[in-house]
C-alpha cells in the first residue's frame, strides 16, 4: 500500500497485489473504485483505520514514513 506522486482528492491510498490495484479512502477504509478481493479489502480497511491519523498526516504533509504491518 502506498501513495503515488501528485495525488488527487479525496485522500486515499493504493493497495496493489500481483493481480489487483485499487484506491481506498483514508476516511473510511472503503474501496473508491474498481475491484479488490473481499478478504484482502478487509485487511486494507483494517490497516487504513488502524493508521488513519498517520495516513492523514502523510497526505497533508507529503512526508511519507514506513508504517509497521498489522499484527
Amino acid at each position: 500500500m502506498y501513495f503515488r506522486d501528485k495525488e488527487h482528492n479525496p485522500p486515499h491510498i493504493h493497495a496493489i497485489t500481483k493481480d489487483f490495484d485499487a484506491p481506498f479512502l483514508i476516511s473510511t477504509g472503503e474501496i473508491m473504485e474498481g475491484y479488490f478481493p473481499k478478504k484482502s479489502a478487509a485487511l486494507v480497511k483494517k490497516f487504513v483505520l488502524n493508521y488513519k491519523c498517520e495516513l492523514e498526516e502523510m497526505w497533508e504533509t507529503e512526508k511519507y514514513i514506513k508504517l509497521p504491518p498489522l499484527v
Side-chain angles (χ1 to χ4, degrees):
M1 290 166 263
Y2 67 93
F3 292 100
R4 292 183 173 159
D5 292 335
K6 299 184 182 180
E7 281 291 4
H8 54 86
N9 283 317
H12 62 282
I13 64 166
H14 291 264
I16 300 171
T17 69
K18 178 183 172 199
D19 299 317
F20 302 99
D21 179 349
F24 287 77
L25 292 168
I26 293 174
S27 61
T28 64
E30 298 295 329
I31 192 168
M32 289 175 56
E33 60 186 38
Y35 173 78
F36 217 70
K38 188 175 181 177
K39 186 175 180 179
S40 298
L43 184 60
V44 173
K45 182 175 184 175
K46 183 177 178 181
F47 179 89
V48 169
L49 296 178
N50 190 64
Y51 292 113
K52 184 177 177 182
C53 292
E54 293 89 341
L55 293 170
E56 288 172 341
E57 184 175 342
M58 285 189 272
W59 182 271
E60 291 298 321
T61 64
E62 295 185 6
K63 293 180 182 175
Y64 307 118
I65 59 170
K66 185 174 182 175
L67 297 171
L70 294 174
V71 287

